[in-house]
Amino acid sequence: KIIYQINGSQDASEVYRETVRTAQANYCLTGSNNATLLNTSASQYPLGHDGVHINAQGQIALGLATYQLIKNL
């Protein structure tokens, strides 16, 4: 399993952002879940004009990163 870690904005209204990110990381740390966390930081996957969602270039990069993870499983 590949878990794509959420990012979102730093908007104060996103009160559960860190809770979800922590839960995702903890899930992947549990070996029996057989899951890998893929950090989707904006520095690696460019964001679109809304500043939240990955743009087309970022989607391509994310696809390539996913392929690399699957290839190495």
Side-chain angles (χ1 to χ4, degrees), residues 19-67:
T19 301
V20 172
R21 288 173 58 86
T22 299
Q24 288 177 312
N26 288 339
Y27 180 85
C28 292
L29 287 173
T30 303
S32 61
N33 289 330
N34 194 29
T36 300
L37 185 66
L38 181 59
N39 184 337
T40 58
S41 68
S43 63
Q44 294 180 22
Y45 307 105
L47 301 178
H49 67 282
D50 64 359
V52 177
H53 297 97
I54 297 171
N55 67 16
Q57 181 183 0
Q59 289 288 342
I60 292 169
L62 187 60
L64 292 170
T66 300
Y67 166 75

